[in-house]
Amino acid sequence: MNDIRVKHFKKSFLNDVSAMLNEAKEEFRTNILFQINSVPNNTYILTNNGSIVGVGLFFYSKGKKITSFNMYVKESERKNGYGSLLLKSILSNLKSIYIDEIFCEISDSESIKKFFEKNGFEVYYTKHKMNKTIYQKDLIDSFPEIINYSDKYYFQLNQLIEKNNFHSQQNNQPKEFFLQKDNSELRELLDEDRKHCYVQVMDDDIVGFIYFENELINHLLIDDSKLGPNELEYFIYNAYKSYTGKNNISVDIYVQDNQISLIEQLDELGFMKIDSSYILRKEM
């Protein structure tokens, strides 16, 4: 009985992947090995009884919501549904980070065309002179809204503040109005500076709140029961881009040491503490 699995790529797999690709055309093999080394965290392998029989990867620009991918399955393992299994794993991961469409350029092979059409891809553009076709697939229909704060979310925001359970500290503490429910100072700030405030909304509920001071995210509140690391990164990136108008950005976030869940998620996303301060930074 075959034991078919899709796993995250590790550097220790590289030699076996390279050997598996020896049967591929040299140009393709060179390109996909270069891509694997470029985006190892976005690479997956397909194994059959522990042996590597396929590899797939995706690469994209954050915030653009489109991506392309590449994959290869050993010829002797094809027509068993293994390629579709690998592809579905890649697409599932893309959905989780709110990529809404994907592209793939293929040679004009009838078997390859049938594979992509079977998996829901459609012809996007044909390069007749190069005998290649670009296929496209829509992945998700909607994204969490990221919008400027408005009064309709005031009560929900207070609930989110209470849930985060901020504790006042003598040094490096958030502004006092974020520590108390129904404080008039909070409403005053939101009325005057709502252009600095963004909320992330899912199913009409606030799941995240960001307040900017200059280009520093001075307050970041999340409902961690609904907002995982991927959704959090999507929120941070797009709120920052909307506020600053910048695409290539370095994001600084102020956190308190008692925001343990938030710090863990930011750490998973690659944010790092600047010296001994409570500012976390990431190049995005």
Side-chain angles (χ1 to χ4, degrees), residues 227-266:
L227 208 63
N230 291 323
E231 294 87 351
L232 176 59
E233 183 173 42
Y234 179 83
F235 180 33
I236 292 170
Y237 179 89
N238 286 282
Y240 200 101
K241 187 171 72 170
S242 295
Y243 180 70
T244 65
K246 297 179 179 179
N247 283 313
N248 298 319
I249 55 180
S250 172
V251 178
D252 290 350
I253 301 176
Y254 174 87
V255 295
Q256 288 192 101
D257 58 4
N258 62 344
Q259 290 182 275
I260 297 172
S261 176
L262 176 61
I263 292 171
E264 287 176 348
Q265 291 201 41
L266 292 172

Side-chain angles (χ1 to χ4, degrees), residues 97-111:
I97 55 175
Y98 299 106
I99 301 296
D100 63 351
E101 60 181 336
I102 186 169
F103 296 87
C104 185
E105 181 180 277
I106 67 169
S107 58
D108 280 345
S109 161
E110 288 302 316
S111 61

Side-chain angles (χ1 to χ4, degrees), residues 6-18:
V6 177
K7 304 176 182 178
H8 279 282
F9 173 81
K10 297 179 181 178
K11 288 184 178 180
S12 59
F13 298 148
L14 185 58
N15 287 338
D16 289 337
V17 171
S18 180

Side-chain angles (χ1 to χ4, degrees), residues 66-129:
I66 62 172
T67 190
S68 55
F69 79 102
N70 206 347
M71 61 180 289
Y72 185 85
V73 175
K74 198 172 180 179
E75 289 186 10
S76 61
E77 303 288 339
R78 296 176 187 175
K79 298 184 179 179
N80 291 312
Y82 302 160
S84 293
L85 178 64
L86 177 60
L87 177 59
K88 287 177 182 177
S89 294
I90 294 172
L91 300 185
S92 176
N93 279 275
L94 290 172
K95 287 181 182 180
S96 74
I97 55 175
Y98 299 106
I99 301 296
D100 63 351
E101 60 181 336
I102 186 169
F103 296 87
C104 185
E105 181 180 277
I106 67 169
S107 58
D108 280 345
S109 161
E110 288 302 316
S111 61
I112 297 177
K113 285 182 179 180
K114 287 180 181 178
F115 170 78
F116 282 102
E117 289 168 0
K118 179 182 71 174
N119 283 282
F121 284 74
E122 297 180 346
V123 174
Y124 182 77
Y125 179 72
T126 300
K127 298 180 178 181
H128 295 288
K129 293 183 179 180

